[in-house]
Amino acid sequence: MAETKARIKNGFHRGLLEELEKRGGEKHKFNMGIQRYIGTNKPCYSLSASSRKEILRKWFLDHQNLTFGEYRDLLLSLAQGESHEEVSLVGALLGAFPKFRRLLEPEILHNFLEGTEGWAEVDSIAQSNFTAREILGDWERWKKVILELSENSNVHKRRASLVILTLPVREVRDERLADLAFQLIEKLKGEKDILITKAVSWLLRDMIKNFREEVEGYLEERRNTLPAIARREVKRKLETGRK
């Protein structure tokens, strides 16, 4: 582990890694069941949820004078981390520093997502971090980046393009969001990878809050081409209101 830390140039990253080691012990490979569940081959630390929260709480308190440049550099460094927890910390820090997050250029998502593996790492970064206000406030730039992600050869980036919109479509009714969401779904609905089929279902279900009629119409028109899991889950959500 000393060699790993020595390769990390960012001091904040090294400090967080030391805390992971201290509280979680040596990193190790998941057993096959857990590894298959979250979809990553990265090693992880035996770290409880409460320990992870405590690490972040203490770090926030100790770094209240963090600058935007330091924040941005830390996220880029963590995104290249060897362990599952390091990559997941990118998402935690995006959520914890909204003032700084809003200053990040949308294009940086390409860097954050480059090394992600599995739904847990993708969703920690893309889910519920970027609000409708942020995305609509710089719409053309965000739209361009999201479309680029949807066309990327990396399936994890394609999943992220769908997941990014799950929060904004719940927050506001804006036709730009709905149009982009349907465009992405139409483009990706034919893929068989569960990373995509589940994300298609997720986005459609979250659209029901503000775009119910549009989702009902889309489900009827595309019932023969949507993934079976999406048809089933969206129909259940429409009928019961439950996930």
Side-chain angles (χ1 to χ4, degrees), residues 56-242:
L56 290 171
R57 188 193 69 81
K58 182 177 183 300
W59 196 88
F60 298 154
L61 290 175
D62 291 344
H63 297 86
Q64 295 186 50
N65 295 320
L66 188 74
T67 68
F68 171 68
E70 291 171 334
Y71 171 78
R72 184 180 183 279
D73 289 346
L74 172 58
L75 294 183
L76 288 169
S77 183
L78 286 168
Q80 300 177 54
E82 293 182 356
S83 70
H84 168 72
E85 283 82 0
E86 288 167 88
V87 175
S88 295
L89 280 173
V90 175
L93 291 167
L94 286 171
F97 289 86
K99 180 180 177 180
F100 284 161
R101 184 188 67 237
R102 288 191 287 269
L103 297 176
L104 291 169
E105 66 276 23
E107 293 80 5
I108 204 169
L109 272 173
H110 286 291
N111 302 86
F112 293 164
L113 293 163
E114 187 63 37
T116 52
E117 293 181 6
W119 64 266
E121 291 174 19
V122 173
D123 296 358
S124 69
I125 294 170
Q127 178 197 359
S128 298
N129 277 322
F130 301 98
T131 66
R133 182 176 181 180
E134 291 168 47
I135 291 175
L136 293 172
D138 195 1
W139 174 245
E140 291 303 324
R141 196 173 180 186
W142 269 102
K143 180 181 178 181
K144 180 176 183 291
V145 169
I146 292 171
L147 286 171
E148 287 172 351
L149 292 172
S150 74
E151 297 165 356
N152 198 276
S153 60
N154 183 336
V155 67
H156 299 93
K157 290 189 176 184
R158 298 199 300 278
R159 177 184 173 88
S161 72
L162 296 162
V163 172
I164 287 168
L165 291 176
T166 56
L167 173 63
V169 297
R170 293 198 314 271
E171 291 182 317
V172 299
R173 178 178 172 84
D174 189 294
E175 298 303 326
R176 291 172 293 178
L177 293 172
D179 289 346
L180 180 57
F182 283 127
Q183 182 178 348
L184 298 178
I185 292 167
E186 194 67 17
K187 180 187 300 183
L188 299 173
K189 67 181 182 181
E191 296 197 23
K192 303 303 182 184
D193 195 308
I194 194 170
L195 286 170
I196 302 300
T197 58
K198 288 290 288 185
V200 165
S201 171
W202 184 4
L203 181 53
L204 282 169
R205 281 179 284 138
D206 279 356
M207 291 178 71
I208 291 172
K209 179 180 178 182
N210 287 311
F211 306 96
R212 183 182 183 91
E213 290 185 6
E214 291 90 336
V215 171
E216 289 175 333
Y218 186 80
L219 191 65
E220 175 63 23
E221 292 173 5
R222 302 296 195 277
R223 62 184 181 276
N224 294 324
T225 58
L226 279 170
I229 192 171
R231 294 198 306 272
R232 183 170 62 251
E233 292 182 345
V234 176
K235 183 178 180 181
R236 181 170 64 242
K237 175 77 171 181
L238 286 166
E239 291 175 348
T240 68
R242 296 192 296 271

